[in-house]
Amino acid sequence: TRGRSFIKSWSGTMFEYFMPCLFLPVIKRSFEDEMIRGAFAEQLKRNPKGLWGNSESSYFAFDDALNYKYRAFGVKSLALEKGTGKNNVVSPYSSFLTLPFFPEKSNENLDLFKEKGVFGDYGFYDAVDLTKSRTGKPFATVKNYMAHHIGMSIVAGTNYLTDYMAVKDFFDIKREAFLPLLEEKTPEFSKNFSSYPYCKTPKNRSARTGELFDGINIGNPKVRTLTNGKASLVLSDSGNGYFSVG
């Protein structure tokens, strides 16, 4: 996308790309480094003149108990999930996630959230719903707090202020053996596609049935096969199995 390569996530959210960076180092010029820069650019492009940062959050709709509903909101160009991008809900914690990597833009966005009143007794509210078809106005503040979003904001802010202290504490000498996985370079090949390839469900599919297993027989395992004629999944009662195509 616009000269950058990255793996698409399911929902195209800030959370999916930046949450691992709370505890894992991002190696310069690695594929991960390329991906978060590309994801950040696509997120800003979604809302170029206002609040940005689509991620999982509450939104301006209510369940039967009058609690705010919750779901993932992402950017279409980053997502595999069909229908991503129809709703536009932005969250302050998304800017905290990007703060260690893009401090100037992130701080500007957090200031804008505060200017618009998205701030209460316990810090930033969870989100702002920009979906006019749902709110009936330019935006609606979702006035609740999510503990895990506040927690991620604290960790990200700590990394920003202390030269990645949380990353250094988590990624100790025992985990350095896995460092080569984080040094993966951007692949020389790529495949471009706009959405996840959905298949029509056959009309003659069998009814779903459930089984209860109260033990595991390693010598004579119980095995089940799931297939659509092209892809097959074989699973045993011990959790072993394999997947094949063709």
Side-chain angles (χ1 to χ4, degrees):
T1 302
R2 280 169 285 282
R4 294 191 182 278
S5 300
F6 47 78
I7 298 173
K8 287 195 173 190
S9 67
W10 180 246
S11 302
T13 63
M14 282 290 199
F15 171 84
E16 289 167 299
Y17 285 96
F18 285 88
M19 189 275 288
C21 307
L22 294 174
F23 301 105
L24 296 174
V26 176
I27 310 301
K28 287 189 178 297
R29 292 180 292 278
S30 65
F31 191 21
E32 174 69 12
D33 185 38
E34 179 81 1
M35 281 198 294
I36 65 171
R37 293 181 185 280
F40 183 76
E42 292 300 301
Q43 286 272 349
L44 263 65
K45 185 183 176 224
R46 172 76 187 280
N47 296 295
K49 295 182 180 180
L51 296 169
W52 51 263
N54 299 116
S55 200
E56 296 182 8
S57 70
S58 305
Y59 60 105
F60 201 73
F62 304 89
D63 61 17
D64 294 337
L66 295 181
N67 297 310
Y68 285 111
K69 291 184 177 181
Y70 183 96
R71 58 160 295 179
F73 299 98
V75 176
K76 182 178 180 181
S77 60
L78 297 171
L80 289 171
E81 184 181 18
K82 189 176 182 180
T84 298
K86 291 181 179 179
N87 295 275
N88 192 6
V89 180
V90 293
S91 51
Y93 89 92
S94 296
S95 292
F96 276 102
L97 289 177
T98 62
L99 185 60
F101 306 97
F102 309 98
E104 185 176 349
K105 290 286 187 182
S106 301
N107 275 311
E108 288 176 357
N109 203 40
L110 289 171
D111 287 342
L112 187 55
F113 272 111
K114 203 166 185 177
E115 288 175 14
K116 292 185 177 293
V118 192
F119 198 86
D121 292 339
Y122 306 103
F124 287 99
Y125 290 123
D126 197 47
V128 172
D129 197 331
L130 302 174
T131 313
K132 293 182 180 180
S133 60
R134 179 167 49 243
T135 64
K137 49 188 176 181
F139 75 91
T141 302
V142 181
K143 293 185 176 182
N144 70 338
Y145 302 95
M146 303 294 288
H148 59 300
H149 294 167
I150 294 173
M152 286 188 285
S153 299
I154 291 172
V155 175
T158 299
N159 282 330
Y160 169 61
L161 294 171
T162 62
D163 192 26
Y164 299 97
M165 184 179 72
V167 172
K168 292 174 181 176
D169 284 348
F170 179 82
F171 205 77
D172 57 21
I173 192 170
K174 294 179 181 179
R175 294 174 176 82
E176 286 186 0
F178 305 101
L179 189 60
L181 295 175
L182 301 176
E183 296 174 341
E184 180 183 3
K185 302 301 180 184
T186 303
E188 295 181 359
F189 64 91
S190 64
K191 180 176 178 61
N192 297 318
F193 53 93
S194 57
S195 62
Y196 189 81
Y198 279 80
C199 300
K200 292 184 178 180
T201 304
K203 294 182 180 180
N204 61 344
R205 64 177 181 175
S206 60
R208 295 181 178 179
T209 59
E211 294 181 86
L212 178 64
F213 300 104
D214 55 8
I216 297 175
N217 188 337
I218 298 177
N220 186 26
K222 294 181 180 179
V223 178
R224 291 292 179 266
T225 301
L226 302 173
T227 182
N228 63 0
K230 295 181 180 180
S232 300
L233 176 67
V234 179
L235 293 172
S236 72
D237 55 4
S238 65
N240 295 317
Y242 70 89
F243 178 77
S244 64
V245 178

